[in-house]
DNA sequence: GTCAATTCACATGAAAGAGACCACGGTCTAGTG
DNA sequence: CTAGACCGTGGTCTCTTTCATGTGAATTGACGA
């Protein structure tokens, strides 16, 4: 019972935050700086919906953290406000990437039905019944227009196939009273190229692109948020600039910049610093990175952990790149030793590819001539996180 | 030396199976009047 | 007679296996200079 009282008592007075929520990445700000043009555009595309007319399908591209979702939701909110009491318009937002919620055709429709006010079991029904139910529900509700915002739609299409979009469009001809429009938000600019041209033509879409924020814009955004969420004089000179520079150097991701600043604030708070200093930004950057990696490792399935452990062990000796075959052999031995089930090389190859996607390793397909074709794998976990990562793996696998 | 064919060691794709989860409808059982 | 327990069927979904096909350059071997 050491000094708990002291810690708890001081938490209020010591806090650097005035309103921490505003620093959270899910916070929805009133106004969105540097996106006026885009918001105007979205609004003008969607404007006909106020009269209950079908709008063009809109597809929005842009890297993460460029304000796509925020802008769309902003416009959607305004529209909903205006049509609140009339049965003209309904806008529903669905994030297609959320696992277990909306990452399959069935689940997307189930989610839609739930949002519109229907009941649907989370599994067990044939998809076409979910379809039918959805149609019925729409007919019952007799709104003129339903706008579906599909966030991260590229993920969904990749997983489900583009027939899903086609089906959605086809519904328009089945429905009497209601029409459906789609707003697709995608990180991948090449996403529309993946779609079957026939489907594409049925979409009759409008496209727009969100370009990344540059450092100045990021600074601006950060400054505005910081003013509202930190107490006065807490943010030292240059901190915001540094934050913005960090984020701009990578992808212009505003969310990341905000996270950086928030975590820096938390760190400063923890070490009882009265101000956020530049060094806290560096620490925050490291912490975010570390937490991300450790979280991935910790929550990964057993087999993934086994493969990763193999890679780490092999990398220790072989400094310059190891190959899929090496990993598989090591993994094989490891499984035998630890009595885990052994997966096929095909599967392990996929697992390695997924680690590459997650950024834990760096895998490059190389052809070594007569020695065949493989992935050249390099570990991409920073030195200072490696030890801890390994501990987690050993612990979790009971090696 | 040059050139095309060969060959390696996987990558990459497609399809399909196993097993978990679940809904639905029918049948059986026990409780009720 | 009826409500609830129980079962079989059929559905989705994830992870995995199986089978098939693709691939880039080092190597090989034939060829001509």
């Amino acid at each position: 019972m050491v000094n708990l009282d002291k810690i708890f008592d001081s938490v209020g007075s010591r806090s650097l935050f005035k309103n921490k929520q505003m620093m959270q990445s899910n916070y929805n700000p009133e106004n969105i700086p540097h996106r006026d043009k885009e918001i105007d555009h979205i609004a003008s595309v969607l404007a006909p919906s106020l009269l209950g007319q079908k709008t063009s399908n809109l597809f929005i591209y842009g890297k993460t953290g460029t304000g796509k979702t925020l802008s769309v939701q902003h416009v959607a909110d305004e529209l909903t406000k205006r049509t609140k009491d009339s049965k003209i318009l309904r806008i529903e937002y669905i994030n297609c990437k959320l696992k277990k919620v909306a990452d399959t055709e069935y689940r997307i429709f189930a989610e839609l039905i739930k949002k519109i006010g229907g009941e649907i079991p989370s599994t067990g029904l044939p998809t076409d019944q979910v379809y039918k139910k959805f149609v019925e529900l729409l007919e019952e509700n007799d709104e003129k227009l339903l706008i579906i915002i599909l966030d991260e739609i590229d993920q969904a299409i990749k997983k489900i196939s583009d027939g899903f979009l086609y089906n959605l469009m086809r519904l328009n001809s089945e429905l009497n009273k209601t029409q459906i429009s789609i707003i697709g938000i995608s990180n991948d600019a090449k996403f529309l190229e993946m779609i079957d041209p026939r489907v594409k033509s049925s979409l009759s879409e409008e496209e727009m692109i969100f370009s990344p924020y540059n450092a100045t814009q990021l600074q601006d955004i950060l400054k505005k948020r910081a003013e509202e969420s930190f107490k006065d004089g807490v943010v030292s000179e240059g901190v915001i600039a540094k934050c913005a520079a960090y984020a701009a150097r990578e992808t212009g991701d505003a969310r990341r910049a905000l996270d950086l600043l928030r975590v820096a604030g938390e760190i400063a708070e923890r070490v009882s610093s009265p101000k956020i200093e530049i060094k806290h930004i560096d620490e925050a950057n490291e912490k975010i990175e570390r937490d991300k990696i450790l979280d991935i490792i910790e929550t990964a399935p057993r087999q993934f952990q086994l493969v990763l452990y193999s890679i780490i062990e092999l990398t220790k000796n072989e400094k310059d790149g190891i190959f899929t075959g090496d990993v598989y052999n090591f993994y094989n031995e490891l499984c035998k030793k630890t009595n885990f089930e052994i997966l096929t090389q095909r599967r392990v190859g996929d697992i390695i590819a997924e680690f590459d996607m997650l950024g834990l390793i760096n895998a490059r397909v190389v052809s070594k001539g007569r020695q065949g074709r493989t992935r050249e794998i390099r570990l991409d976990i920073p030195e200072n996180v490696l030890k801890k990562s390994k501990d987690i793996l050993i612990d979790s696998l009971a090696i």
Side-chain angles (χ1 to χ4, degrees):
Chain A
M1 299 307 108
V2 205
N3 283 323
L4 286 186
D5 280 341
K6 213 164 109 196
I7 295 174
F8 293 154
D9 287 345
S10 65
V11 81
S13 61
R14 208 176 59 191
S15 174
L16 305 178
F17 291 97
K18 191 161 62 184
N19 181 353
K20 196 159 166 182
Q21 281 214 315
M22 290 194 167
M23 241 22 227
Q24 235 87 41
S25 49
N26 57 5
Y27 173 71
N28 212 338
E30 289 286 312
N31 46 34
I32 305 158
H34 303 292
R35 286 298 179 229
D36 300 337
K37 228 173 49 205
E38 285 81 359
I39 289 176
D40 281 356
H41 189 177
I42 297 172
S44 67
V45 172
L46 297 188
S49 67
L50 285 174
L51 305 173
Q53 291 167 8
K54 185 176 179 321
T55 62
S56 308
N57 297 315
L58 179 62
F59 284 86
I60 298 177
Y61 310 105
K63 296 244 163 61
T64 40
T66 49
K68 303 179 299 286
T69 307
L70 229 45
S71 303
V72 170
Q73 270 178 337
H74 180 72
V75 176
D77 284 349
E78 292 296 317
L79 283 172
T80 330
K81 242 186 256 169
R82 282 197 169 225
T83 56
K84 202 166 38 190
D85 302 317
S86 54
K87 281 209 144 196
I88 295 179
L89 174 65
R90 166 169 229 131
I91 305 181
E92 293 299 348
Y93 171 86
I94 287 197
N95 189 334
C96 305
K97 212 175 82 180
L98 288 183
K99 292 224 161 163
K100 312 271 180 191
V101 178
D103 60 345
T104 68
E105 190 167 13
Y106 182 104
R107 296 215 262 244
I108 287 174
F109 276 104
E111 192 64 17
L112 274 171
I113 290 173
K114 237 183 275 171
K115 292 208 167 168
I116 296 176
E119 285 285 321
I120 201 84
S122 62
T123 172
L125 257 46
T127 306
D128 45 337
Q129 253 187 67
V130 184
Y131 241 87
K132 221 184 287 169
K133 174 112 188 180
F134 179 62
V135 173
E136 274 169 27
L137 212 59
L138 284 183
E139 293 286 317
E140 249 171 61
N141 273 2
D142 75 19
E143 276 126 351
K144 287 220 173 59
L145 184 63
L146 173 67
I147 298 180
I148 305 172
I149 303 170
L150 294 168
D151 206 346
E152 319 256 359
I153 192 175
D154 46 333
Q155 305 283 328
I157 298 303
K158 233 181 260 166
K159 247 187 145 160
I160 308 171
S161 94
D162 45 16
F164 159 65
L165 276 184
Y166 181 74
N167 285 339
L168 209 50
M169 287 296 93
R170 204 172 41 98
L171 279 183
N172 271 334
S173 56
E174 269 176 49
L175 289 162
N176 301 324
K177 302 176 193 158
T178 311
Q179 290 292 294
I180 299 175
S181 293
I182 300 175
I183 300 177
I185 303 178
S186 158
N187 294 324
D188 183 3
K190 283 177 300 206
F191 144 75
L192 259 190
E193 292 168 21
M194 302 179 343
I195 298 181
D196 188 322
R198 276 170 304 170
V199 177
K200 200 175 162 184
S201 72
S202 76
L203 285 174
S204 73
E205 83 282 1
E206 192 136 344
E207 290 180 43
M208 63 184 295
I209 293 169
F210 276 57
S211 46
Y213 295 113
N214 60 33
T216 330
Q217 291 169 330
L218 281 173
Q219 248 186 73
D220 200 38
I221 294 168
L222 283 173
K223 216 176 280 170
K224 277 187 185 138
R225 288 263 198 125
E227 264 167 30
E228 291 177 73
S229 65
F230 286 110
K231 290 178 179 163
D232 290 344
V234 158
V235 184
S236 309
E237 193 65 31
V239 163
I240 296 220
K242 173 115 188 188
C243 252
Y246 252 120
R249 196 177 53 200
E250 287 175 21
T251 51
D253 185 341
R255 193 177 322 160
R256 188 164 155 69
L258 285 165
D259 277 344
L260 203 55
L261 190 55
R262 176 175 49 82
V263 174
E266 284 166 0
I267 288 175
E269 216 171 78
R270 200 166 311 139
V271 299
S272 307
S273 164
K275 283 178 141 208
I276 303 175
E277 311 278 351
I278 287 190
K279 66 175 182 209
H280 296 141
I281 301 278
D282 291 322
E283 272 179 56
N285 195 36
E286 232 172 75
K287 179 174 166 24
I288 289 175
E289 188 65 13
R290 193 178 64 222
D291 286 356
K292 200 181 81 193
I293 292 174
L294 293 182
D295 185 59
I296 292 173
I297 295 176
E298 214 165 352
T299 56
R302 288 270 176 291
Q303 293 292 350
F304 280 61
Q305 292 180 338
L306 284 162
V307 174
L308 187 62
Y309 183 79
S310 305
I311 294 173
I312 289 177
E313 279 299 301
L314 282 170
T315 314
K316 218 165 44 182
N317 309 326
E318 259 353 281
K319 259 290 153 226
D320 38 78
I322 50 177
F323 305 102
T324 308
D326 305 337
V327 175
Y328 187 68
N329 290 337
F330 191 99
Y331 159 85
N332 224 314
E333 292 300 313
L334 186 63
C335 282
K336 269 186 211 148
K337 253 187 276 172
T338 51
N339 271 338
F340 278 108
E341 207 183 329
I342 302 173
L343 300 184
T344 50
Q345 179 150 340
R346 177 73 185 81
R347 181 66 188 135
V348 172
D350 278 351
I351 291 175
I352 290 173
E354 277 184 60
F355 276 133
D356 186 30
M357 292 270 294
L358 290 169
L360 293 195
I361 62 173
N362 207 312
R364 195 161 57 94
V365 179
V366 292
S367 185
K368 295 191 295 167
R370 205 77 194 266
Q371 272 76 56
R373 225 156 106 73
T374 338
R375 281 207 178 80
E376 189 183 86
I377 300 161
R378 270 168 223 282
L379 207 54
D380 208 12
I381 299 175
E383 203 64 44
N384 53 353
V385 192
L386 199 55
K387 174 89 173 54
K388 178 91 178 158
S389 309
K390 227 173 116 180
D391 289 347
I392 291 176
L393 287 175
I394 290 172
D395 205 43
S396 153
L397 297 170
I399 301 173

